[in-house]
Amino acid sequence: MERALIKIHGIVQGVGFRPFIHRLVREHDLKGFIKNTSSGVELELDGEREVLERFVSEIPSRAPGLAVIENIETEYGLECGRFENFEIRSSKREAFRNTLISPDICICDDCLREMLTPGDRRYRYPFINCTNCGPRFTIIKDIPYDRAKTSMSDFPMCPACNAEYHDIENRRYHAQPDACPVCGPHVFFMDGEGRACANGDDAIAIARSLLRKGSIIAVKGLGGMHLACRADVEAVARLLRKRKQRDEKPFAVMCRNVECARILCEVSPEEAAVLEGIRRPIVLLRKRKEYEETLRHLSENRCLGVMLPYTPLHVLLFGDDIDALVMTSANLSDTPILYQNEEAVRALHGIADGFLLHNRDIQTRCDDSLCSVLDGREYFLRRSRGYVPQPVRISKRDDLPSVLACGAEQKASFCLTRGGHAFLSQHIGDLKNFETLSFYRNQISHFRRLFDIVPQRIVCDLHPDYLSTETAREMSEEQHIPLLQVQHHHAHLASCMADNALTGEVIGLTWDGTGLGTDGTIWGGECLIGGFETFRRFGSVLPIPLIGGDRAVKEIDRVAFALRHAASCKNDDENASHYEAMLASGVNCPLSSGMGRLFDGAAALLGIKKSAGYEGQGAVLLEAAADEAEDGCFPIEWLEENNTLFFDWRAMVAAMEQRAGAGESTAVLSACFMNTLVRMAEQQCRRARECSGLNRVVLSGGSFQNLYLMKRLPVLLREDGFEVYHQKRVSCNDEGLSLGQAAIALHRLGKETNVSGSTT
Ligand SMILES: [Zn+2]
Ligand SMILES: [Zn+2]
């Protein structure tokens, strides 16, 4: 008999971990205690060495789904008396400082079974949950995380729920949002005019029948409202587009289960695992060949965003006969997602034919997450519901100072650090919209309070006009916190490094639409060499004049015009003389090295799209048009200037024009265009390696949402002996930028305070 001290670090509080340990201890007949500590839990146990070791070895594989175990330290042979029993010691002074809050998690199998079992006291109850599932982040008003500080404060527990809550043997032990039909929230239906029509099961029945008949229904979810309608009737989806004024952006679809998703899309085992996982993001799936055309009313490209039901209400809504519904965020042109009952009824008047709502308030908006599946795991385009506010660990050290990183502007996010944890915000949106900006500012305060963080540095982009920069500056002045500005693509590079726990220096391919460079021009097709400390611009893309500035971002045929012009190809645009005069004088033609612009220009040049309905549409459609079997390439030329190696695309453009003129297919030419970029990048990296001796390449920036590139470029680089890294835990687009800003600031602070500068 001996005693073991076991320290478990990670997300192990508020996720049903102590009841789990309680069960495991009983199974192994051990005695002792467990208590919460600032970084996890601590156990002291008496038992035979062999039994204790077995106990420890079983913890990781059997831990509850929401627990994240970072590491377990075990010490045997402690001096001891004898424990008489096993107890859970409560530490009254548990520091809130280190509380971690779980994301919102989809209904678990146990709750699902109960909900569908006649006679269960929660039979068909749409708010069933337990410690392993249900709402968390979206219902929390404040810390400490207990019922009184959540949306559930309005619903005192009935005796039956209360008994479960206090029973360590019960799955609902300390489940703050626990409820039942007697004591909990309820669902109701309102017609298009906001008149209450029905409650409970009748409300769900009405919504189901209206949906089947082709109506558009607003449905209250976890982090906001969705607009739902049949996915299989083109006219209905078109009507929704018309009412929502969403002409071209793809709709996400919720399918009843994976089998229903397989009817529409190809689903690999890895994709099925992410779809069916506890976080339930929207997963971009390849449409089945036979449906590529017929599903165009949902998505104009080759993929369709699919998710599975994640709340009990969704499950009841689908029943066993609705296979797929369009489920799009209910918001009006670029404003944040609607999340309150009254405002939704008001704002969606004339858009929704009815409302399936409930009286459990959403405290915090949180949009659905969106990802592809790459190398067997999520590759984020939007990291939000189901993931936020789970921190990304960027350092093993817990004594680091805190920083606030304010992100970019269009795909805004922010990041607060505490010790080695980085807390990234949910999807915020485009700050140029006023309501989005106030949402962003509110969330910064909310996160600071929730995680009790006082930043010692505020970091923002170099761009003086970004509203995130303005916010950062204001906060810095008001609160007397020093400000640090970080170049956009340097932050992308650092984001990918922090994401992959890299230190030192790397070659960074950072490709996106726009970011302000250190020389005052617009960058975006960058090959950088550097690390957290500093960077230099090794290579880029020959700057493209944007005719009319920002107008060229929407009217992408202007970019095509500029490309043809530079490559001395014939331009027959009705505005040709006007554009040529602008190009000649350079007036209102800012230069951009943005990779996104090169994609736009190529898309317009190949006749795929003349004008972009949403950001990145040119690139998305070009990717969708490409013949994946084609491995041809256009000529690659270089131009060296100011110690920077520019990809000179003029020869490529001339070849593309010539072959398009000769009648070659858009499919082949689109593929050749992207193949050219892949080989160009490889050559650029090779030169950077010769120059720097570096062998690691990080890929970051919105252009790498393109899976055609992501399936080819890393392969080619690896064949060439490079180690290649892409973003894994945060988005590769500007949403992931705040992580890089934070990592750079931490490095800087570490050096100033003379602690080792490493952030890993
Ligand atoms: Zn559950
Ligand atoms: Zn109850």
Side-chain angles (χ1 to χ4, degrees), residues 598-646:
L598 195 56
F599 265 97
D600 285 347
L605 202 132
L606 295 174
I608 295 168
K609 193 78 188 159
K610 294 281 173 211
S611 147
Y614 54 91
E615 195 242 326
Q617 189 185 21
V620 166
L621 295 183
L622 188 141
E623 181 186 354
D627 174 356
E628 291 173 304
E630 175 62 43
D631 59 3
C633 186
F634 299 120
I636 298 168
E637 290 184 357
W638 300 97
L639 191 84
E640 212 162 337
E641 221 177 75
N642 302 330
N643 274 324
T644 304
L645 184 67
F646 289 95

Side-chain angles (χ1 to χ4, degrees), residues 121 158 161 179-180 183:
R121 70 188 194 90
C158 68
C161 285
C180 75
C183 63

Side-chain angles (χ1 to χ4, degrees), residues 543-696:
I544 303 165
L546 301 181
I547 302 171
D550 274 348
R551 277 189 75 174
V553 177
K554 283 227 157 65
E555 298 167 32
I556 58 178
D557 53 345
R558 288 168 178 250
V559 183
F561 189 97
L563 294 182
R564 284 197 191 98
H565 181 84
S568 310
C569 301
K570 202 170 137 295
N571 255 316
D572 47 7
D573 193 289
E574 52 184 23
N575 297 311
S577 56
H578 176 52
Y579 290 168
E580 257 154 32
M582 285 178 77
L583 286 169
S585 67
V587 173
N588 201 12
C589 288
L591 295 174
S592 165
S593 294
M595 187 56 78
R597 300 293 83 78
L598 195 56
F599 265 97
D600 285 347
L605 202 132
L606 295 174
I608 295 168
K609 193 78 188 159
K610 294 281 173 211
S611 147
Y614 54 91
E615 195 242 326
Q617 189 185 21
V620 166
L621 295 183
L622 188 141
E623 181 186 354
D627 174 356
E628 291 173 304
E630 175 62 43
D631 59 3
C633 186
F634 299 120
I636 298 168
E637 290 184 357
W638 300 97
L639 191 84
E640 212 162 337
E641 221 177 75
N642 302 330
N643 274 324
T644 304
L645 184 67
F646 289 95
F647 165 49
D648 185 344
W649 37 258
R650 287 176 297 186
M652 173 183 76
V653 168
M656 197 153 50
E657 265 293 271
Q658 190 255 322
R659 286 172 60 179
E664 258 193 86
S665 77
T666 306
V668 166
L669 297 177
S670 302
C672 289
F673 168 73
M674 289 187 286
N675 294 341
T676 308
L677 296 182
V678 167
R679 291 196 201 163
M680 178 277 281
E682 185 228 1
Q683 291 181 20
Q684 211 171 30
C685 287
R686 231 191 283 171
R687 297 243 217 143
R689 175 166 62 188
E690 281 162 20
C691 215
S692 63
L694 298 169
N695 199 45
R696 295 177 301 174

Side-chain angles (χ1 to χ4, degrees), residues 464-496:
D465 301 336
Y466 276 1
L467 289 160
S468 52
T469 305
E470 199 178 297
T471 304
R473 238 193 240 118
E474 272 173 30
M475 280 189 298
S476 158
E477 279 166 24
E478 281 166 17
Q479 299 164 32
H480 309 290
I481 304 170
L483 185 71
L484 173 68
Q485 288 188 277
V486 171
Q487 199 278 325
H488 194 91
H489 302 95
H490 185 205
H492 272 309
L493 175 148
S495 175
C496 195

Side-chain angles (χ1 to χ4, degrees), residues 89 133 280 427 442 696 703 759:
R89 290 194 183 164
C133 74
R280 299 281 154 109
H427 166 77
N442 288 339
R696 295 177 301 174
S703 298
T759 56

Side-chain angles (χ1 to χ4, degrees), residues 313-552:
L313 182 57
H314 291 149
V315 175
L316 297 173
L317 185 66
F318 276 76
D320 51 16
D321 56 351
I322 295 180
D323 286 348
L325 292 172
V326 167
M327 276 278 192
T328 183
S329 298
N331 61 345
L332 304 174
S333 54
D334 289 336
T335 58
I337 189 169
L338 296 162
Y339 71 117
Q340 287 166 329
N341 293 348
E342 297 77 40
E343 76 165 345
V345 170
R346 209 176 327 118
L348 297 176
H349 186 260
I351 297 177
D353 301 311
F355 298 85
L356 185 60
L357 304 175
H358 57 72
N359 60 343
R360 184 179 71 197
D361 289 341
I362 297 170
Q363 293 300 330
T364 302
R365 291 186 179 97
C366 200
D367 284 78
D368 294 318
S369 292
L370 174 65
C371 66
S372 304
V373 175
L374 187 65
D375 297 344
R377 63 180 292 168
E378 295 96 328
Y379 185 59
F380 291 105
L381 280 74
R382 188 164 73 214
R383 180 184 181 270
S384 203
R385 194 232 342 120
Y387 298 89
V388 171
Q390 187 171 317
V392 173
R393 188 166 263 287
I394 54 169
S395 167
K396 289 198 183 79
R397 294 177 40 192
D398 280 318
D399 59 346
L400 298 170
S402 289
V403 301
L404 163 64
C406 289
E409 180 173 81
Q410 210 177 46
K411 285 189 162 63
S413 80
F414 59 85
C415 170
L416 278 156
T417 69
R418 186 179 69 191
H421 282 138
F423 298 89
L424 276 92
S425 71
Q426 72 272 50
H427 166 77
I428 303 273
D430 188 344
L431 300 182
K432 282 196 285 294
N433 174 282
F434 177 74
E435 286 165 55
T436 309
L437 180 63
S438 20
F439 171 45
Y440 168 78
R441 293 183 171 180
N442 288 339
Q443 284 303 298
I444 293 179
S445 312
H446 184 56
F447 269 62
R448 277 180 64 169
R449 201 171 52 243
L450 225 45
F451 300 106
D452 191 20
I453 294 174
V454 181
Q456 293 176 31
R457 271 291 185 292
I458 297 178
V459 209
C460 65
D461 198 86
L462 266 190
H463 204 302
D465 301 336
Y466 276 1
L467 289 160
S468 52
T469 305
E470 199 178 297
T471 304
R473 238 193 240 118
E474 272 173 30
M475 280 189 298
S476 158
E477 279 166 24
E478 281 166 17
Q479 299 164 32
H480 309 290
I481 304 170
L483 185 71
L484 173 68
Q485 288 188 277
V486 171
Q487 199 278 325
H488 194 91
H489 302 95
H490 185 205
H492 272 309
L493 175 148
S495 175
C496 195
M497 283 181 66
D499 199 347
N500 288 282
L502 304 180
T503 52
E505 293 212 312
V506 299
I507 299 168
L509 288 174
T510 56
W511 290 4
D512 66 1
T514 297
L516 184 63
T518 48
D519 59 359
T521 69
I522 305 166
W523 294 6
E526 309 308 305
C527 175
L528 309 179
I529 291 177
F532 297 124
E533 176 89 33
T534 176
F535 77 98
R536 76 182 179 91
R537 192 187 198 197
F538 177 80
S540 186
V541 167
L542 192 68
I544 303 165
L546 301 181
I547 302 171
D550 274 348
R551 277 189 75 174

